[in-house]
Amino acid sequence: LPRLPAPSLGRGRARAMEAGMASFSAERFDPVDFVNRACASCPPEEAVDKYLSELEMKLQLMAEDASAALEDDSAAALARVPRAARESGRLRDESVSLRAKASALSERLGESVEKSAACVSRLAAVGAIRERMEDARGTLAEAAGLSELLVTIDPVLASGDAPAAAAALSQMRRAIGAVVDVPQFADARQRLAQHEDRLEAIVSPQLSDAIAARDAEATKAARGVLESIGRGDVAERLYVKARLAPALEVWASFGAADSQSFCDWLPAFYEALLAAIDEDAMWVEAALPGQRAALVPRIVCEGMEAVSAQFATRISKAAEAALAANKPAVDELVSLRARTHQFAEALLPRLKGCAPEAVDRALCAVDSPYLLSLEGYAPAESEQLQAELRRANSGASGAVAGALASGVSSSGFGEAVAALEASVGEMAAALERSIRRCVVATGLSEADESVKVADRVGAAFVAGMMDQLASLRTACAPYGVQQAQQAGKSKAAMQPAAADEAAFEALVQGALALLSASSAIASRLAAMDAAAAAQLRRGGSALAAADAAHAELPTVAASEGSEHPYAGAEVSAVLARLRIHSPGRDESRRAELQTMLAGVLNDDGAGDAAQAAQAPVLPMVAARAAAFEKAADALVYDVLASRVHRHLDGYAKLSVWEATHMSGEAGAAGNSFDLPTFSAYPQACATAVGEYLLTLPQQFEPLLGIGPSSPGAPNVGGDAVDSGGAADDTRLASEWVVRVAGGAASLATSAALAIEALDDSGAAQLAADMEYLANVVSALGVDVPAAMRTLLKGASAPAAQVKAMLADGDGADARAAAAVLKMRAVAIETAAATGVASAAEGAAATGQGE
C-alpha cells in the first residue's frame, strides 16, 4: 500500500520530536523517561492523547524506514562478499610471487658482493700507496725547502729584516716538523733555536725602545714578530721590566741610614708598585691588545720576586730594631702586616678580569716575604706574651713579698690581694691582645699554635699566682691558719700562736678582700675567654667568607660586572686562606686548625646557656683559674675558721668534765654534804665562738656591693651589668656565713667528741656549751649537725636515762652516740648501781614495815 503522508506538525513541535528521537541512540535508554519527557513537551493548547497518537505514528514510520534501510544494506553487503573473496585470493598469489622475486634478487646481490670485495681491497691498497707517495713528495719538497732555508737564513738575519727573518723561521719550523725523522736534519731543531735566539736578540732592543718611547705601533709590530716564532712572552717580560724599573729604584732607595723605619717607609714602595700597574693602561690595550689581564699579575709577581729576599731580611731587621728600642717585635710585625693588607686591598680591584690562578698567584707573591716570619710567629708571640706577663707579675710579687715582710696582720695582705687582682687584669688584657694580634697578623693561619701558646703562658702565670697564694697562706700560719702540709698532722702540731684582736681583724679583712678578688678574677678570666672566642669566631667567619669568595672566582672572572676578585672578603682572611691551603702546609696542622675553628663557629648564636656550657678557648687557663679560685676559697675559710680553732684549742682536756674524779678523796669528802646544785652556763670558750659567729654578718658587710655582678663592680665583659648584683653579693655573703658557721659547729662537735670521760656536772656543762652553740648556728640559718644534736641529747639526759634516750634513734648519729656512752660510762654504771641499791633498800624497808 502506498505510505500515507505524515501528519503535518508545527516547526517547533517537529524540532522537539527530532531532539527526542536522538535519545534512542543512548546506551542507557529508558522508555519510561522518554514517554515522560514527551508528555512534558506537549504544548499546553493541545490534548495529550492527540499528541501521543501523533508521536506513536511518527515512531512507527521511523521504525519502518529503519527496517527497510537495514534490508537494503544487508542485500548490498551479501552481494559484495564474492568479489572480496576473489580480490583476497589474487593478493595472496601476488605476494607469493613477490617473495620469490626478492629471494632471487638477494642471491644475485650476494654473488656481486663476493666478486667486488677483491676489487675493493686492491683499490684500497692503491689509495694507500698514493697517499704515501704524496707524503714522500711533500717531505722531499720540505726537505728541499729546509735545505735552502738553512743556507739563506743567515743573510736574512744579518740584514736585520725582522719580519722576513720571522717568516723564514716560521717556514723552517713547519719544515722541521715534516722531516723530523730524517737523519740528515737531526740538528735542525737546535739550529732553529739558535736562529730564533738571534732574531730575539735583534728584536728585543727595538721592542724595549718602542716601549720606552710609548710607540704603540712599533711595539705591536715587534711583538707580532716574536709571536710568529713562539716567543710572544718576551714582549710581556720586557714591558714588565720597563714598568718595574721605577718601583725597584724606590726599593733600592731605602737604606740603613734612612731616618724612617721600614714600616713607615714601606707604603712608598707599594705606591710605586701600584703606579707601575696603573701607568699607560690605554696604551697597553693598543700596543699589547688583550694582555693587560696577564700583565697586572705578572708585574706584581715579578716585582715581589725581585725584592722578596731583601724584604724578608728587612722584616727581620725591623724586628731587631724594635727589640733594641724596647718595643715588642710582634707588634712591629703586626704593623708591617697592616701595611701589606692595605696594599693587597688596593690591588684586588686592579686584578679584575684576571684568571683565578693568576689572582691567587699575585696575592701569594705579595704575602711571600712574610712566610718565614709567620712560621716563627708562635715562638715570637710566646716571648712577647711572657715579657708582658712578667711585667704584670712583678707588681703582685712585690706586694706579696711586702706582705711577707711586714706581716699579713697589717695592710700588707689587702695590698697583696689587690696586686694579685690587678695582675690578673693585666694578664687577661695581654691574652686578649695576643689573640687579636694573631687575627690581624696571621688571619688565624697560625691560630692553632698561637692559641696553644696563649693557653700555656697564661696557665703558667696563674700557677705563679697560686704559688703567691701559698706564700700568703704561709704568712698566715702564726695566726692559726692551717697549712697545706699540715694535713694529717696532730692537732697539737697545728695550734696557733697568740694573736691580738686587731691583728686578727686585719687578717679577716684581708681574707674577705681575697674572696672578692678571687670572684672578680674568675669573672675577668671568663670574660677574657669569651672575648678570645669572639675574636676567633670573627676570624673563622672571615675565613669562611674567603672560601666562599674563592669558589666564586671563575664566575667573577667571566662576568662583565664591576665586581672584583674576593669582593666582600677580608684581605687578611684571603691571604690566610692561601697559606692554609698552600701545598707545603702540614696536613695535620690544617686539620687541627679547621677542627678548632669549627668548634668555635658551632658555639656561635646558641644563647646564654650554650655559651656558658661551651668548651673554653684556653682550657689550661680555665682549669688553673678554677684551681686558684678553689685555693683562695680554702684560704679564706681557713682564716675565718682560725678563731674557732683557737677558742676550741684544748677543749677536750678541760678539767670541768671530771671535776669529782680529778679531785680525788677531797672532792668526794667535799661532796658528802647535800649542797644545792645550779644550772650550768656556757663556758668562755663556747661563748667566744658563738660571739664570733654572730659577728660574721658584720664582717661580710664590706663585701656587699663590690662583687663581680654588683653595680659597683668593674664591667670587664663590656656588657651592661644588671641590677641583680646586690642580691648576688648578699647571697654570697649569706653562703659564706652559713659555711663558716656550719664548719664551726662541726669543729665544736669534733672537739667535744674527743672528751674521754664525763661526770654528771661535766655532762651538764657540755650540754650547756652544745645548746648555746646549737642556738647560735640555728640563728644564723644553719642546720644543727646530727652529731651535735646527739651529743646534746646524751649530755643533757640523766645518767640513768642516757642509754634509753640514745636508743630511740630519733635522728641520732651512731658515732656520737657511741662516744657519749663511752664518756659517761662511769656515771651510767654508778647510776645503775645506785638504782639497784635503792631498790634493795626499798624492799628491805617494805619488809620491816610488814
Side-chain angles (χ1 to χ4, degrees):
L1 293 178
R3 180 178 299 177
L4 295 177
S8 177
L9 300 174
R11 181 176 302 174
R13 183 184 302 175
R15 283 197 299 269
M17 293 182 66
E18 290 174 359
M21 298 305 172
S23 61
F24 287 99
S25 62
E27 294 181 0
R28 298 181 179 180
F29 174 74
D30 186 4
V32 175
D33 182 63
F34 174 78
V35 173
N36 291 332
R37 283 190 286 107
C39 292
S41 63
C42 177
E45 68 275 5
E46 188 174 354
V48 176
D49 54 352
K50 180 181 178 181
Y51 178 77
L52 293 177
S53 298
E54 292 177 356
L55 179 61
E56 181 182 3
M57 182 180 294
K58 180 70 174 178
L59 289 176
Q60 185 177 359
L61 293 176
M62 290 179 66
E64 292 176 355
D65 290 342
S67 177
L70 181 60
E71 290 178 358
D72 293 342
D73 291 342
S74 299
L78 291 174
R80 286 195 297 270
V81 168
R83 187 175 61 184
R86 290 192 298 272
E87 290 293 333
S88 176
R90 185 179 61 80
L91 290 175
R92 184 172 58 252
D93 296 340
E94 288 181 358
S95 65
V96 171
S97 175
L98 287 174
R99 189 180 296 112
K101 290 180 181 179
S103 177
L105 289 175
S106 177
E107 291 177 358
R108 291 176 60 187
L109 182 60
E111 294 174 356
S112 299
V113 169
E114 292 177 358
K115 293 178 181 180
S116 62
C119 296
V120 171
S121 62
R122 285 194 295 271
L123 289 175
V126 172
I129 293 172
R130 179 182 177 182
E131 289 180 359
R132 287 194 292 271
M133 292 178 68
E134 289 178 352
D135 292 341
R137 185 187 65 180
T139 302
L140 290 174
E142 294 289 349
L146 181 58
S147 300
E148 183 180 357
L149 287 173
L150 291 174
V151 175
T152 60
I153 189 63
D154 289 328
V156 175
L157 290 172
S159 65
D161 189 354
L169 290 176
S170 298
Q171 185 179 356
M172 184 182 297
R173 180 181 294 276
R174 290 192 300 271
I176 290 175
V179 299
V180 64
D181 296 329
V182 178
Q184 288 80 1
F185 299 103
D187 61 340
R189 291 189 179 280
Q190 182 179 359
R191 296 173 65 183
L192 174 63
Q194 294 174 354
H195 293 315
E196 288 176 346
D197 291 341
R198 289 178 61 188
L199 179 58
E200 179 182 342
I202 293 172
V203 177
S204 294
Q206 300 174 3
L207 180 58
S208 298
D209 294 342
I211 292 173
R214 298 184 181 178
D215 189 343
E217 293 299 327
T219 301
K220 188 175 182 180
R223 180 172 176 269
V225 170
L226 292 174
E227 283 185 341
S228 65
I229 62 173
R231 301 196 178 187
D233 64 323
V234 174
E236 285 78 11
R237 176 168 54 82
L238 292 177
Y239 175 81
V240 170
K241 181 180 179 180
R243 289 296 172 259
L244 279 178
L248 296 180
E249 289 179 1
V250 173
W251 176 263
S253 66
F254 178 79
D258 290 349
S259 58
Q260 273 187 316
S261 65
F262 180 62
C263 183
D264 294 336
W265 173 87
L266 185 57
F269 170 69
Y270 284 146
E271 291 174 2
L273 201 56
L274 292 175
I277 296 172
D278 296 337
E279 189 176 5
D280 300 332
M282 297 183 63
W283 181 86
V284 171
E285 290 297 333
L288 303 172
Q291 297 300 311
R292 179 167 177 78
L295 287 173
V296 173
R298 187 164 183 173
I299 290 175
V300 176
C301 292
E302 294 190 11
M304 294 306 301
E305 182 180 359
V307 303
S308 180
Q310 293 183 358
F311 203 128
T313 302
R314 291 181 182 179
I315 292 174
S316 300
K317 290 183 177 179
E320 294 173 0
L323 290 175
N326 292 326
K327 296 180 181 179
V330 177
D331 287 349
E332 186 70 15
L333 178 62
V334 170
S335 300
L336 288 170
R337 293 291 294 169
R339 302 290 195 277
T340 301
H341 291 164
Q342 292 174 0
F343 168 68
E345 190 171 358
L347 176 64
L348 281 175
R350 294 167 170 83
L351 294 174
K352 179 181 177 299
C354 299
E357 298 80 6
V359 173
D360 287 347
R361 193 164 52 249
L363 293 177
C364 287
V366 171
D367 204 38
S368 60
Y370 293 94
L371 294 181
L372 187 60
S373 298
L374 292 178
E375 288 177 0
Y377 178 81
E381 179 64 42
S382 177
E383 292 180 4
Q384 177 166 338
L385 194 56
Q386 287 178 2
E388 292 181 0
L389 295 188
R390 279 195 297 270
R391 290 194 296 270
N393 191 39
S394 60
S397 299
V400 172
L404 296 176
S406 61
V408 294
S409 60
S410 64
S411 61
F413 198 148
E415 294 175 356
V417 170
L420 284 176
E421 184 176 358
S423 67
V424 170
E426 295 178 13
M427 180 269 284
L431 293 180
E432 290 178 5
R433 289 194 300 270
S434 175
I435 300 298
R436 191 179 304 112
R437 283 194 299 266
C438 177
V439 174
V440 174
T442 72
L444 292 186
S445 65
E446 311 302 318
D448 53 334
E449 297 293 338
S450 298
V451 171
K452 289 179 182 178
V453 164
D455 194 20
R456 185 172 58 251
V457 175
F461 180 87
V462 180
M465 288 176 50
M466 293 187 67
D467 293 340
Q468 295 171 358
L469 194 64
S471 299
L472 287 177
R473 177 180 283 275
T474 302
C476 295
Y479 303 93
V481 179
Q482 298 184 16
Q483 303 302 300
Q485 64 271 20
Q486 290 175 338
K489 288 189 177 182
S490 65
K491 289 182 64 68
M494 297 187 291
Q495 298 310 317
D500 56 21
E501 190 68 19
F504 183 77
E505 289 296 330
L507 183 62
V508 169
Q509 294 304 317
L512 295 179
L514 177 60
L515 177 62
S516 176
S518 67
S519 183
I521 287 171
S523 299
R524 181 65 182 94
L525 292 180
M528 178 273 299
D529 196 89
Q535 290 282 347
L536 294 178
R537 193 176 300 119
R538 283 193 291 269
S541 300
L543 279 177
D547 284 332
H550 182 269
E552 295 293 329
L553 282 182
T555 305
V556 174
S559 66
E560 297 295 334
S562 59
E563 190 176 10
H564 61 77
Y566 290 107
E570 296 182 11
V571 173
S572 60
V574 172
L575 297 179
R577 184 206 167 275
L578 293 174
R579 288 193 302 274
I580 292 171
H581 294 280
S582 63
R585 183 81 172 191
D586 187 7
E587 288 292 339
S588 61
R589 282 195 62 193
R590 183 185 296 121
E592 183 178 359
L593 176 62
Q594 291 175 347
T595 301
M596 182 191 73
L597 294 180
V600 172
L601 291 175
N602 288 339
D603 290 332
D604 186 21
D608 296 338
Q611 288 180 0
Q614 71 183 24
V617 175
L618 306 177
M620 295 175 64
V621 173
R624 293 287 176 85
F628 176 83
E629 187 175 14
K630 184 177 180 180
D633 286 355
L635 177 56
V636 172
Y637 177 79
D638 289 342
V639 169
L640 296 177
S642 62
R643 176 169 287 188
V644 178
H645 279 286
R646 186 176 65 180
H647 289 312
L648 295 178
D649 177 28
Y651 184 77
K653 303 298 183 182
L654 296 176
S655 60
V656 68
W657 311 130
E658 282 188 293
T660 302
H661 296 288
M662 293 182 65
S663 60
E665 295 297 329
N671 286 332
S672 61
F673 300 99
D674 188 10
L675 297 178
T677 58
F678 301 94
S679 299
Y681 290 93
Q683 299 181 85
C685 59
T687 56
V689 171
E691 291 173 357
Y692 168 66
L693 293 179
L694 292 174
T695 61
L696 281 177
Q698 298 177 358
Q699 297 284 359
F700 279 94
E701 284 183 358
L703 186 64
L704 301 179
I706 60 171
S709 58
S710 65
N715 186 5
V716 296
D719 300 329
V721 180
D722 60 13
S723 60
D728 293 341
D729 295 332
T730 302
R731 183 171 58 253
L732 177 64
S734 300
E735 290 174 356
W736 270 92
V737 169
V738 169
R739 180 179 176 184
V740 176
S746 299
L747 287 173
T749 303
S750 299
L753 291 177
I755 299 173
E756 295 180 356
L758 283 174
D759 57 11
D760 290 339
S761 63
Q765 183 61 59
L766 179 60
D769 292 346
M770 293 298 105
E771 184 179 7
Y772 171 74
L773 292 177
N775 291 334
V776 169
V777 297
S778 296
L780 293 174
V782 180
D783 294 333
V784 179
M788 177 176 277
R789 293 198 305 269
T790 303
L791 189 61
L792 176 59
K793 188 175 183 180
S796 59
Q801 301 177 10
V802 171
K803 289 185 178 181
M805 294 187 68
L806 294 178
D808 62 4
D810 185 15
D813 183 80
R815 185 174 68 91
V820 170
L821 292 175
K822 181 181 178 182
M823 295 176 200
R824 304 194 66 183
V826 175
I828 293 172
E829 292 174 359
T830 302
T834 302
V836 172
S838 298
E841 290 177 359
T846 302
Q848 290 176 0
E850 291 176 355

